[in-house]
Amino acid sequence: MDTAAAEVTTAGNARPGRRRTGRRAAAWCAGLLLAGVSAVVGCRTADTDGITPVPQLLAFLPWLLAPTAAALLLALLARFRTGLVWGVVVLGLLAWFIEPYGRTHDPSGAPVASFRVLTANVEFGRATDALVAAVRRERPDVVFVEECDSAHCDPVLRRELAAAYPHRQAVESPGSAGSVLLSRFPLTATAGVPGTMGMPGAVADVRGHRVRLQLAHPMPPLPHQLGLWRRELGALRDFAAADRATPTVLAGDFNASQDHAAFRRLLDTGLQDAARLTDEPRTPSWPTRTTPLIGAQIDHVLLSRDFSATATRFLDLPHTDHRALLTDVTLHAHH
């Protein structure tokens, strides 16, 4: 009887020990998750993009709600009070930053011209045929094409779309460096924005009104080239800030979302994101393997305050990792 009682007592003591060990492990896991999310949220709060892997994770900021919720659950199971408070604070900051950045502005002048803009990254020209079909179906007036290689994409666009789009400005280059700007409106060439990948620009005559058109395609924030990414986004910012009087459309693959400080500096010049103006501020455009469930909105149509946007749609094109972005815009007279 004494031996049996001892065995029962030992088993009873072991169970609380296992529970304590389990709670300790859950608390550690909660702390690690919260530490990782806090590093990203801290950089967002400090208005900086930080160092790798923060810039890469900032693109997916809304989806950091998932590890934060998991950490809160673990903290609850572990009775980890510090973790619970920590998690609630992080959750609140994430909810705050998920809101669209900056204020919107409605033009007060009368509408003077409406037109349709399409931007598409065709991934080394692989989605060129799909783009041609989309252009014929949607009939945009201005088309921005990123990663339009000179071997396949550019010749196809010349052959298939020259009649509908007699005006063009291009940086002809192999691979991802090629870019093309197509227009139904007459164009006057500009110097564009210098970059590793082509970023052509022009001034369009839109029914008697001058409109600056600039294609955007800075380098992505890869771990070994964060400085280059920041500099090329900075060059786009300089372009936007150089002439705030002329109506401007800046569109393309920015390789950045509103959660990147370098992109917010662009918006601070007075440009507005057409997707936000049409209630699509968080619709993902990349990567297509996981959109629209998970992804980042890194393809944008940015408009000066002379414009309003009436509709935005993200189009799925085969053979590219980006969704195309179609936007209907209206130019307003200066009031």
Side-chain angles (χ1 to χ4, degrees), residues 157-246:
L157 296 185
R158 287 179 182 272
R159 184 179 69 246
E160 300 293 335
L161 299 178
Y165 299 90
H167 310 286
R168 59 181 278 126
Q169 192 67 18
V171 174
E172 298 179 6
S173 184
S176 63
S179 293
V180 176
L181 171 58
L182 303 176
S183 174
R184 298 185 190 275
F185 308 118
L187 297 178
T188 300
T190 64
V193 173
T196 308
M197 296 183 284
M199 294 192 279
V203 175
D205 180 353
V206 181
R207 303 183 181 99
H209 302 276
R210 296 177 73 250
V211 175
R212 292 198 302 166
L213 303 177
Q214 177 59 53
L215 185 147
H217 195 200
M219 290 294 283
L222 298 178
H224 60 282
Q225 59 185 32
L226 290 179
L228 179 59
W229 170 70
R230 290 189 180 98
R231 285 195 299 274
E232 294 190 352
L233 280 169
L236 289 168
R237 183 198 180 284
D238 292 343
F239 160 81
D243 182 358
R244 302 193 187 196
T246 305

Side-chain angles (χ1 to χ4, degrees), residues 3-14:
T3 301
E7 289 176 351
V8 171
T9 301
T10 301
N13 291 336

Side-chain angles (χ1 to χ4, degrees), residues 132-317:
V132 169
V135 167
R136 287 174 172 167
R137 182 178 67 250
E138 304 294 345
R139 300 179 60 80
D141 298 288
V142 180
V143 183
F144 298 83
V145 190
E146 302 87 58
E147 298 197 20
C148 183
D149 69 301
S150 56
H152 171 67
C153 174
D154 196 37
V156 169
L157 296 185
R158 287 179 182 272
R159 184 179 69 246
E160 300 293 335
L161 299 178
Y165 299 90
H167 310 286
R168 59 181 278 126
Q169 192 67 18
V171 174
E172 298 179 6
S173 184
S176 63
S179 293
V180 176
L181 171 58
L182 303 176
S183 174
R184 298 185 190 275
F185 308 118
L187 297 178
T188 300
T190 64
V193 173
T196 308
M197 296 183 284
M199 294 192 279
V203 175
D205 180 353
V206 181
R207 303 183 181 99
H209 302 276
R210 296 177 73 250
V211 175
R212 292 198 302 166
L213 303 177
Q214 177 59 53
L215 185 147
H217 195 200
M219 290 294 283
L222 298 178
H224 60 282
Q225 59 185 32
L226 290 179
L228 179 59
W229 170 70
R230 290 189 180 98
R231 285 195 299 274
E232 294 190 352
L233 280 169
L236 289 168
R237 183 198 180 284
D238 292 343
F239 160 81
D243 182 358
R244 302 193 187 196
T246 305
T248 298
V249 178
L250 176 57
D253 169 13
F254 287 77
N255 279 308
S257 74
Q258 70 168 37
D259 297 307
H260 289 111
F263 183 74
R264 293 194 298 276
R265 300 294 80 77
L266 253 174
L267 298 179
D268 289 344
T269 65
L271 296 178
Q272 300 183 99
D273 198 320
R276 182 192 177 180
L277 295 176
T278 53
D279 298 322
E280 299 281 355
R282 287 291 182 181
T283 302
S285 66
W286 172 90
T288 53
R289 289 183 179 181
T290 57
T291 57
L293 294 177
I294 299 175
Q297 190 179 107
I298 62 174
D299 299 88
H300 307 272
V301 172
L302 303 185
L303 307 168
S304 61
R305 295 187 177 184
D306 312 270
F307 287 97
S308 60
T310 55
T312 291
R313 281 189 290 138
F314 290 87
L315 310 178
D316 293 317
L317 301 181

Side-chain angles (χ1 to χ4, degrees), residues 16 65 68 103 119 182 205 243 250 274 281 327-328 335:
L65 289 169
T68 304
R103 297 180 179 179
T119 178
L182 303 176
D205 180 353
D243 182 358
L250 176 57
T327 303
D328 292 324
H335 195 268

